Amino acid sequence: MTANIALLLWLLFATVYDFRQRRVPNWLVLAGAAVALAALALGMQPFGIVWTQALLGAGAGFGFLLLFYAFGLMGAGDVKFAGALGLWVGLTALAPIWIVASLLAGAHGALWYVLQRWPLFPRLALILSGPTSEANGSATPRRARFIPYAAYLAMATAAWMVWGRQS
């Protein structure tokens, strides 16, 4: 039960941080990975997966999303977060989590696109696009990352924890 709470807190921090900053810091990814490894080592893994499943999940989560990063479609924090998430849920659970997260991210992108072209609610499009580089105190412009994919991965994982494991 303690590992479930630790995972939910990590998912919550990642969701809030990614929505507010559009990035996932290394310390947050490393903290989640360290607690996942500790839960595995202590036999407190909340989903009953073993080392092999966890390492395969981490490799698949990192490796698959690394392709998107290589093409400039995703931030490095999202890729690292997916790798750490794979340590928690293993390879089997990653597919439904990815599907749900991708649907949420697609809805985010579609809503942003529509709101950007709809003159009645321009501030909603700004909210969905995330902070600007000036708001972060940066003089150099950053590449726009308006979809917080790690947050959607975290939300899909929390939903999977509640509904996905019951079958």
Side-chain angles (χ1 to χ4, degrees), residues 37-46:
L37 291 172
L40 276 163
L42 297 172
M44 298 173 60
Q45 214 290 330

Side-chain angles (χ1 to χ4, degrees), residues 21 23 65 95 105 110 132 143 164:
Q21 301 293 321
R23 59 184 293 273
L65 293 187
T132 61
R143 185 154 179 237

Side-chain angles (χ1 to χ4, degrees), residues 2 15-16 72 75-76 97 99-100 108 113 120 125 132 140 148 162:
T2 315
T15 300
V16 170
I97 290 170
I99 290 168
V100 171
H108 180 114
Y113 182 80
L120 298 177
T132 61
T140 59
V162 174

